[in-house]
Amino acid sequence: MNLVVLQNWLDNASFAILFLTMLVYWGGAAFPNLPYLAALGTAGMAIANLCMATLLGARWIEAGYFPLSNLYESLFFLTWGITTVHLIAESSSRSRLVGVVTAPVAMLIAAFATLTLPSQMQVSEPLVPALKSNWLMMHVSVMMLSYSALMVGALLAIAFLIVTRGQNIQLQGSSVGTGGYRSNGYRLNKASELISQPSAPSAENNGFARFETTSNGNGNTAVMGLVTTTPIQNPKSEIQNSEPLSPQRLSLAETLDNISYRIIGLGFPLLTIGIIAGGVWANEAWGSYWSWDPKETWALITWLVFAAYLHARITRGWQGRSPAILAATGFVVVWVCYLGVNLLGKGLHSYGWFF
């Protein structure tokens, strides 16, 4: 089969599969009693991932270089990365809500590449001299994978804000650091004490106190359990006036917060490696490690935003709403870095794009 025909078939197939997969995930969220929809959505995302991997492989064979030289190839590589990270996140969280937020983004990117870009931008062309380097695969692929991971992590943070209705709730086990477990809502009781009357938890705990059973090794057992309480009402507090979340929503929120944190923790080192590799390549190609090109500047801004996110979680012990808002801001910043600077102005990275 002609590789060009195969590519045209695969890009349209990827878009169609992602569109159907999005509908499946949305249907699964609307009708949670249909368990087969979750497996069908995962299968659709895996098939789309395979189609895009085959598409990129065909372009690699046809052009003879790694397929990341123009916007069309870049968009499909980004979508492939998003679907790959999605499959990892869904496998870890076992939540169909991951696909509810990632599938439409992947579908829209594939639609933009397939249906919006002019045909001349979809054709493989000879590389410009600056791109004829082994650093093309090292720098650009790592940067694109970091964008994929950061986007998925930010989308899960946005989903967390939706699930929690923007309430400032206290979560357990999502942060590692000096402040990660302060005011965590746990109370230790002896086995002989009743756990149905715990001290009233703070509003950050959303009206729930957690208890589990532990042993100190000398025969005395302590009990911790989950008990529902009524938050203290204060007309001046918006959080305390909010309706308490159900245990199911709390569990889902903790899952989303946890997996978002880990996915962003995966994307940030990739972003760091990509920026360093880009500096080395820039020195070889242009004689300077850093030239404050718009793409470089926004890559630094992206790095600073997610560095602040991880610093707040690891060192300051931030959890819940505040870091989720910071990650959601990072989603916008990533898009400005990836695509916005090429739409707003020219720079050293503008070849193969719109200008």
Side-chain angles (χ1 to χ4, degrees), residues 233-253:
Q233 296 297 325
N234 185 347
K236 296 182 180 180
S237 173
E238 177 184 353
I239 297 174
Q240 290 173 342
N241 280 334
S242 301
E243 180 184 353
L245 300 179
S246 66
Q248 292 78 11
R249 273 181 176 262
L250 276 177
S251 176
L252 179 58

Side-chain angles (χ1 to χ4, degrees), residues 32-54:
N33 294 327
L34 300 177
Y36 65 89
L37 289 179
L40 192 60
T42 303
M45 196 67 80
I47 294 172
N49 180 276
L50 181 60
C51 286
M52 287 180 286
T54 306

Side-chain angles (χ1 to χ4, degrees), residues 55-72:
L55 166 65
L56 295 171
R59 291 184 73 89
W60 194 347
I61 295 173
E62 177 197 4
Y65 56 82
F66 195 70
L68 274 175
S69 63
N70 59 29
L71 181 58
Y72 176 81

Side-chain angles (χ1 to χ4, degrees), residues 57-292:
R59 291 184 73 89
W60 194 347
I61 295 173
E62 177 197 4
Y65 56 82
F66 195 70
L68 274 175
S69 63
N70 59 29
L71 181 58
Y72 176 81
E73 296 169 348
S74 177
L75 287 169
F76 267 106
F77 191 89
L78 177 67
T79 312
W80 174 81
I82 289 175
T83 56
T84 300
V85 177
H86 159 89
L87 293 172
I88 296 173
E90 189 175 63
S91 175
S92 301
S93 65
R94 301 186 182 277
S95 172
R96 69 179 67 185
L97 191 60
V98 175
V100 173
V101 293
T102 58
V105 173
M107 185 275 296
L108 289 173
I109 298 173
F112 179 62
T114 304
L115 306 176
T116 304
L117 291 182
S119 57
Q120 60 268 25
M121 293 189 66
Q122 300 184 17
V123 179
S124 297
E125 296 181 353
L127 290 176
V128 298
L131 293 179
K132 293 180 179 180
S133 170
N134 292 330
W135 287 103
L136 173 65
M137 180 186 299
M138 174 63 183
H139 167 61
V140 184
S141 63
V142 173
M143 289 296 293
M144 297 304 298
L145 288 174
S146 72
Y147 291 159
S148 301
L150 294 175
M151 285 182 184
V152 172
L155 285 170
L156 294 176
I158 294 172
F160 168 86
L161 292 173
I162 295 173
V163 167
T164 60
R165 308 190 196 104
Q167 296 185 35
N168 190 20
I169 63 173
Q170 183 72 25
L171 302 173
Q172 312 298 331
S174 298
S175 291
V176 178
T178 57
Y181 297 99
R182 64 172 184 243
S183 183
N184 57 13
Y186 281 101
R187 176 189 170 193
L188 192 64
N189 296 289
K190 295 180 180 179
S192 58
E193 294 179 355
L194 294 176
I195 64 171
S196 58
Q197 298 178 348
S199 59
S202 65
E204 287 186 345
N205 289 330
N206 196 48
F208 290 89
R210 300 163 183 270
F211 296 89
E212 294 173 352
T213 302
T214 58
S215 177
N216 57 13
N218 58 6
N220 296 327
T221 302
V223 179
M224 285 185 174
L226 177 64
V227 214
T228 310
T229 64
T230 303
I232 301 173
Q233 296 297 325
N234 185 347
K236 296 182 180 180
S237 173
E238 177 184 353
I239 297 174
Q240 290 173 342
N241 280 334
S242 301
E243 180 184 353
L245 300 179
S246 66
Q248 292 78 11
R249 273 181 176 262
L250 276 177
S251 176
L252 179 58
E254 287 189 342
T255 299
L256 290 173
D257 182 77
N258 198 24
I259 195 65
S260 171
Y261 169 55
R262 280 160 173 72
I263 293 297
I264 291 176
L266 170 66
F268 183 76
L270 292 175
L271 179 64
T272 304
I273 294 171
I275 291 175
I276 294 173
V280 176
W281 187 14
N283 185 59
E284 289 186 2
W286 302 318
S288 173
Y289 287 100
W290 195 269
S291 56
W292 293 105

